[in-house]
Amino acid sequence: MADQGTPGPDPCARTITNPISGERIVIRVSGAETGGRLLRFDLFLPSGGHVPAGHVHPSQQERFTVLAGRMRFRLGRRTLVVGPGETVEIPSGAAHWFGNPGPGISHAVVDVRPALRTEELFVRTEQLSGRGRLLGTRLPRLSDLACVILDFQEEITAPHLPARLVRFGLGPLAWAGRRRARRSRA
């Protein structure tokens, strides 16, 4: 069911859900359709839903235009709360986090430039939710998370950590995760 003022789902659109964060992403324009210049999607967040952690897109810009509800953004040390009709631009390299502080579902249109492999990143994080868990939590295993972080370093990184440190620290965990995945397919 659509929210007030929120269009219903397009039956041709690709929907990606992340039960860990509560995000529902509906791809409107894929990177493949734009020669990699743009990924556009609708982002729906339930009350209290948010991205799992602060992050940085090293070479991508994001633009969020809120259509319904409210969204809270943390950009560096600043916090912004925006509502319908307001837009937040996040430059490449800027540490940020976002979530829904309101009582209802928030809905934003998000443009990511260039698209890179962001859609594939969303699919991989959705797949993680169906795998093993970290010590009974909703979080994925650290080894699975390490694989995603290393596989998508162009799209997303941890703020304030040098890339070499991330690769060095997560490499053994990613190796273990890939090894377990190969064994389970055999």
Side-chain angles (χ1 to χ4, degrees):
M1 178 176 234
D3 295 337
Q4 292 178 332
T6 303
D10 176 350
C12 298
R14 177 185 179 136
T15 300
I16 302 165
T17 56
N18 185 336
I20 295 168
S21 65
E23 296 168 283
R24 183 167 60 94
I25 296 165
V26 180
I27 304 297
R28 297 297 179 194
V29 179
S30 72
E33 294 174 89
T34 64
R37 289 183 309 278
L38 168 70
L39 171 65
R40 177 173 288 151
F41 57 92
D42 286 313
L43 171 66
F44 297 91
L45 283 172
S47 179
H50 57 84
V51 291
H55 58 279
V56 172
H57 302 290
S59 58
Q60 295 172 295
Q61 298 174 352
E62 286 183 302
R63 184 177 72 207
F64 292 77
T65 302
V66 176
L67 301 179
R70 295 182 338 173
M71 290 184 71
R72 175 179 291 129
F73 291 86
R74 193 170 51 238
L75 299 167
R77 293 184 176 162
R78 286 184 339 168
T79 298
L80 306 167
V81 177
V82 296
E86 295 180 284
T87 297
V88 174
E89 303 249 355
I90 301 173
S92 64
H96 64 285
W97 173 96
F98 58 86
N100 176 0
I105 294 173
S106 64
H107 174 199
V109 173
V110 183
D111 287 349
V112 179
R113 295 176 192 271
L116 299 179
R117 296 172 45 221
T118 303
E119 185 175 350
E120 185 182 342
L121 169 64
F122 293 154
V123 169
R124 283 278 294 280
T125 56
E126 178 183 47
Q127 291 168 346
L128 284 182
S129 68
R131 293 189 184 155
R133 300 277 183 254
L134 174 65
L135 304 173
T137 69
R138 294 185 327 163
L139 298 173
R141 289 184 195 119
L142 289 179
S143 56
D144 291 336
L145 190 57
C147 288
V148 169
I149 290 169
L150 293 179
D151 289 348
F152 293 95
Q153 291 178 73
E154 282 189 73
E155 292 75 19
I156 192 164
T157 63
H160 316 298
L161 289 177
R164 295 180 94 192
L165 179 62
V166 171
R167 282 192 300 273
F168 178 75
L170 295 181
L173 281 172
W175 176 83
R178 289 182 179 112
R179 185 167 185 234
R180 185 180 52 254
R182 282 192 298 272
R183 280 197 319 244
S184 67
R185 285 189 292 246

